[in-house]
Amino acid sequence: MNSSDGAAVVVGVDGSEPALHAVRLAAAEAARRQRPLRVVHGFIWPLLHVPLNAPAGAPPGGGLRDQAKQIVTAAVAEAETTAPDVRVSGEIIDGEAAAVLLGETTTAAMIVLGDRGLGGFSALVVGSVAIQVASYADCPVLVARGGAPRSVGPVVVGVDGSELSTLALDFAADAADARRTELLALHAYRHPTSSGPGDMQPLVYDERLLHSEQEQVLADSVAGLTERYPGLRVTRRAVRARPGRALTDASRTAQLVVVGGQGRGEFTGLLLGSVSQSVLHHADCPVAVVRAPR
């Protein structure tokens, strides 16, 4: 992995428990990648023109900016405890959380954030900030899903033969190599369907032939990977299933699931494709979303 450019791993914090989960995940990731860690808090209150200092007679440190400083200080301390050898810095940036983090993506090695934050709707499995950042980021986005991060299990990557899944595969191979664990390349497919009214499709498919064809798609996708990562064990798995469901099932024993921001078979109108959204909402481990550079 290339850490010579000095780009930092950036984690967004808001004082919530999911954000602290993200801090611990980000600190471990920065340590693996030998990169600095930058803790960022989007401070929205100046945009709303509310008083930032504590009212007269209030205890010291009671103002909104003082509270933001406490959030960042606590997050920096948590990161330093998690990864003592990582250089950690913190900053408060005026602006809405998603906009602040998206501004960081042009120079960051990776953005890490919790799946929900303060003020999020409890019915949402993944908060709006995570979806916005994963949809528009110029760098990989790691969302802290699941409970405590696992130190065993494979890195799982969704593969569909598209150019974007190749980027996801490269990211996943790098992550598996850094963790010294297996890479599971998972290709989920379904029976061919009509592409529009009037299309004629055969009534019967040769299941073995179809499976063989899909296995070849997967084999072509991972070809050459072990040459770039000689010590990496790569397992290929082609399954007849919905991709989102297959990746979610695999997440139950994985350290990390990696998906492309949008691949084949996903609704082109979505900035974050249907499979990626499904995995973000239901995965039982951290999820990395890799998008093509703009």
Side-chain angles (χ1 to χ4, degrees), residues 67-139:
Q67 292 175 18
K69 290 177 181 177
Q70 293 168 22
I71 288 171
V72 172
T73 298
V76 168
E78 186 73 21
E80 291 174 339
T81 298
T82 302
D85 294 333
V86 171
R87 178 164 54 88
V88 185
S89 61
E91 185 175 0
I92 299 168
I93 301 176
D94 290 355
E96 186 272 331
V100 166
L101 289 171
L102 285 170
E104 294 287 315
T105 68
T106 58
T107 56
M110 175 189 300
I111 297 289
V112 185
L113 66 166
D115 55 357
R116 292 183 306 279
L118 293 175
F121 296 100
S122 59
L124 292 178
V125 182
V126 174
S128 60
V129 172
I131 293 295
Q132 288 180 64
V133 176
S135 296
Y136 292 98
D138 288 324
C139 69

Side-chain angles (χ1 to χ4, degrees), residues 92-279:
I92 299 168
I93 301 176
D94 290 355
E96 186 272 331
V100 166
L101 289 171
L102 285 170
E104 294 287 315
T105 68
T106 58
T107 56
M110 175 189 300
I111 297 289
V112 185
L113 66 166
D115 55 357
R116 292 183 306 279
L118 293 175
F121 296 100
S122 59
L124 292 178
V125 182
V126 174
S128 60
V129 172
I131 293 295
Q132 288 180 64
V133 176
S135 296
Y136 292 98
D138 288 324
C139 69
V141 175
L142 181 60
V143 179
R145 293 282 304 156
R150 301 184 185 101
S151 57
V152 296
V155 170
V156 177
V157 58
V159 178
D160 64 8
S162 67
E163 181 180 353
L164 186 53
S165 83
T166 300
L167 295 176
L169 187 61
D170 289 343
F171 179 93
D174 199 48
D177 189 59
R179 288 166 171 78
R180 302 182 186 279
T181 193
E182 170 194 6
L183 174 67
L184 172 58
L186 180 61
H187 175 54
Y189 64 92
R190 302 179 69 190
H191 272 292
T193 57
S194 299
S195 59
D199 287 349
M200 298 298 293
Q201 297 286 340
L203 297 178
V204 179
Y205 294 93
D206 185 327
E207 183 66 34
R208 289 177 298 178
L209 178 59
L210 178 62
H211 185 74
S212 177
E213 290 172 348
Q214 300 306 313
E215 283 190 321
Q216 188 60 52
V217 170
L218 183 53
D220 291 344
S221 296
V222 303
L225 204 59
T226 53
E227 294 178 6
R228 301 200 302 274
Y229 297 92
L232 180 63
R233 183 160 63 97
V234 180
T235 299
R236 305 195 307 262
R237 184 185 300 168
V239 296
R240 181 184 166 191
R242 291 179 179 272
R245 173 62 64 85
L247 289 166
T248 297
D249 289 345
S251 75
R252 297 192 182 107
T253 56
Q255 294 187 46
L256 173 70
V257 170
V258 182
V259 292
Q262 193 167 331
R264 288 180 180 167
E266 303 197 75
F267 300 107
T268 56
L270 294 176
L271 287 169
L272 190 64
S274 58
V275 172
S276 307
Q277 290 221 34
S278 176
V279 176

